[in-house]
Structure formats: structure tokens, C-alpha cells
Amino acid sequence: MSREILLMGNWKMNHTICETVDFLKECKKQKLVKLAKDKNITLAIAPTYLSLQVAAKNSNGIHISAQDCHYMDHGAYTSNISVPMLKEIGVNWSLVGHSERRAYEGDSSETCNKKIKALVSNGFKVVYCVGETLDQFEQNQTKDVIKQQVTVGLDGLTKEEVSNIIIAYEPVWSIGTGKNASKEIAQDICSYIRGLLTESYQDLAQNTLILYGGSVKPENIHDYLTESDVDGALVGGASLKAESFKALIENI
Ligand code: PGA
């Protein structure tokens, strides 16, 4: 079974609008989409809300994703952005459940489930992030945590809806710490996630993209992609500069 590879940058709270445009201009100049396409790699970036509109206009084949959204279409939810608002500016991808949202903004898997439902019913691709904390890792609870996050996050979704979901396994202890998980750990958990998906959605699980994320760099990305259940990477810090983004593609 050969699945495409997805390389996705999560920019978090980095890059102004001008910096976003500069990045995309550089990607165009260096023909990164073509470079990626030749290697069966799809590219996506998730800039801040403010940069999304201009990014969507200058994307040149790179998928533009929100980092989050609200599950309601509109209403009294100060500071939030809804799915129709994203749609209006030509954005049809979103991350959901990133560990920084779970840790600092209180997103539970139940909340993620509502967001995912709102997104997929509007035709969005969703990159649903799951992962255990250091404490949970040390207590050997990784698979229990992942199972809870996956089953609650995807609860009630049809097979067709799940076909628009990508899962990103990001151990919290590896995010932004330089302590990337070994490729064996990444493979073990990505394959565990595929097993969970197989239980509920049978053959669809073979087509679902499952990414690893957490301190992925040009120097270590290749290792992950040699594992059979790791279909790509969700990259924070190393996705911010076009040069480094290019090096990630080249090293896959
Ligand atoms: P990092 O972030 O690559 O900087 O560790 C990954 C992420 O949070 O998605």
C-alpha cells in the first residue's frame, strides 16, 4: 500500500503577514511544490489566523491550514474564528487538538470532536493531533491516552467523514524540546493508531495518513519516513524558514 507523504508546517504564533508572503515567494522561487511532487510529497502550512487570507492567495500549490477553529458557526465566542469564516477566505484545512491548545486553552478530546464535526461537515481536511505528556510516557500510559484521544475525538463520525482526517502523533515531551521520539516509538504508536482506525473503519485505515511530529528536523526526518506506518511529519520550528522547509523535502 503506498500512501502519499504529507509534510506540514505548524507555524504556531510565528510570522507576520509580510513574513508569510516572503516565505511563500521563496517557496515559489525555489519550486518547492514541484520538488515535493516529484517525491510524492504534499505540502501544507498552518500560519496564524491573520496570515491565512494572504497565504491562501499566494499558496501556489501549498495547502493552507488554520491552526484551530471554533465549532459554532457564529456567536458570542470572543477571539474565536468559525469554519464559515475560514471557508470564505479559501481555507479548507485545519489542525485540531494540538497539544498547546490542549495544555493552554483547555481543549479536551470532546471539544476536539465538536470541532472536527464542524470542519468535516464543511468539507475540510482535518489534521487531528494526539499525544501523551512526559508523565504519561514515563508511566507507560501512552497507548491508553492515544486510544482515548482517538476514540473520543472521532466519535460519531462516518467512514466518509473520517476519510478527510489525518492523524498527527505528537508526543508532548518531544515538541519544541529537541528530544524527538525514536523512529521505533513513532512507528509503534502510528501503527497502534492505524490498528484503532481499522477496528472502527476497516480498510479505510490503510488510506489514512498518520504523521509524526515533535522536534522533526532536516537531519532526522528521513528516519521517520522509512517506517511503514509513518506517512509524513508535522513540523514546528524547522518549518519556519523556506530553506529549512526545502531541506526537509530534500531529505525525505
Ligand atoms: P516542533 O513542533 O517541530 O517545533 O517540535 C511540532 C509541533 O508542535 O507540531
Side-chain angles (χ1 to χ4, degrees):
M1 166 94 252
S2 99
R3 290 175 291 269
E4 66 183 301
I5 297 166
L6 174 62
L7 174 63
M8 182 164 189
N10 172 18
W11 284 3
K12 314 188 181 193
M13 199 173 70
N14 292 295
H15 283 346
T16 61
I17 293 174
C18 285
E19 288 163 345
T20 303
V21 172
D22 287 347
F23 175 97
L24 288 166
K25 275 189 187 152
E26 197 54 33
C27 290
K28 189 179 176 194
K29 200 167 124 198
Q30 303 220 24
K31 301 192 170 61
L32 296 198
V33 171
K34 161 102 176 59
L35 180 70
K37 208 171 166 204
D38 290 345
K39 302 177 94 172
N40 193 31
I41 304 168
T42 300
L43 300 178
I45 53 167
T48 68
Y49 284 136
L50 278 180
S51 293
L52 283 176
Q53 187 165 12
V54 80
K57 284 200 178 122
N58 293 276
S59 63
N60 295 303
I62 298 179
H63 293 285
I64 304 300
S65 171
Q67 296 175 12
D68 185 48
C69 71
H70 201 278
Y71 52 82
M72 295 294 285
D73 280 357
H74 53 82
Y77 302 99
T78 302
S79 90
N80 279 286
I81 297 287
S82 74
V83 179
M85 292 170 187
L86 293 171
K87 235 173 147 175
E88 186 187 37
I89 58 165
V91 171
N92 54 9
W93 282 52
S94 184
L95 295 175
V96 170
H98 188 275
S99 71
E100 286 146 20
R101 293 275 330 161
R102 292 181 191 260
Y104 310 139
E105 314 291 341
D107 279 11
S108 64
S109 294
E110 286 79 7
T111 316
C112 293
N113 180 247
K114 291 186 189 169
K115 294 181 179 189
I116 294 173
K117 282 182 174 154
L119 286 159
V120 292
S121 62
N122 278 283
F124 275 59
K125 278 254 183 247
V126 173
V127 180
Y128 178 46
C129 306
V130 297
E132 81 286 7
T133 62
L134 180 60
D135 204 36
Q136 291 162 336
F137 175 71
E138 286 174 348
Q139 312 239 358
N140 221 0
Q141 294 168 347
T142 301
K143 288 186 179 167
D144 295 339
V145 172
I146 298 297
K147 186 172 186 177
Q148 190 272 347
Q149 292 175 337
V150 170
T151 47
V152 175
L154 304 187
D155 185 46
L157 294 175
T158 64
K159 206 168 169 178
E160 199 192 332
E161 288 171 331
V162 175
S163 70
N164 282 317
I165 292 176
I166 294 158
I167 309 274
Y169 168 55
E170 299 203 300
V172 181
W173 47 271
S174 74
I175 296 177
T177 59
K179 292 187 191 132
N180 55 307
S182 68
K183 62 182 179 125
E184 289 80 13
I185 293 180
Q187 165 59 21
D188 183 33
I189 304 304
C190 290
S191 129
Y192 177 69
I193 293 170
R194 201 175 303 285
L196 290 174
L197 296 175
T198 306
E199 280 172 28
S200 305
Y201 309 102
Q202 301 78 39
D203 48 317
L204 180 72
Q206 288 308 314
N207 297 325
T208 305
L209 296 188
I210 304 179
L211 317 179
Y212 166 76
S215 296
V216 174
K217 305 266 177 290
E219 305 82 67
N220 62 27
I221 192 162
H222 181 75
D223 277 357
Y224 294 109
L225 271 297
T226 59
E227 296 294 338
S228 59
D229 285 294
V230 182
D231 304 316
L234 181 56
V235 186
S239 73
L240 289 171
K241 297 231 159 67
E243 268 318 307
S244 173
F245 202 50
K246 183 180 183 186
L248 287 164
I249 301 167
E250 284 173 336
N251 291 355
I252 287 176

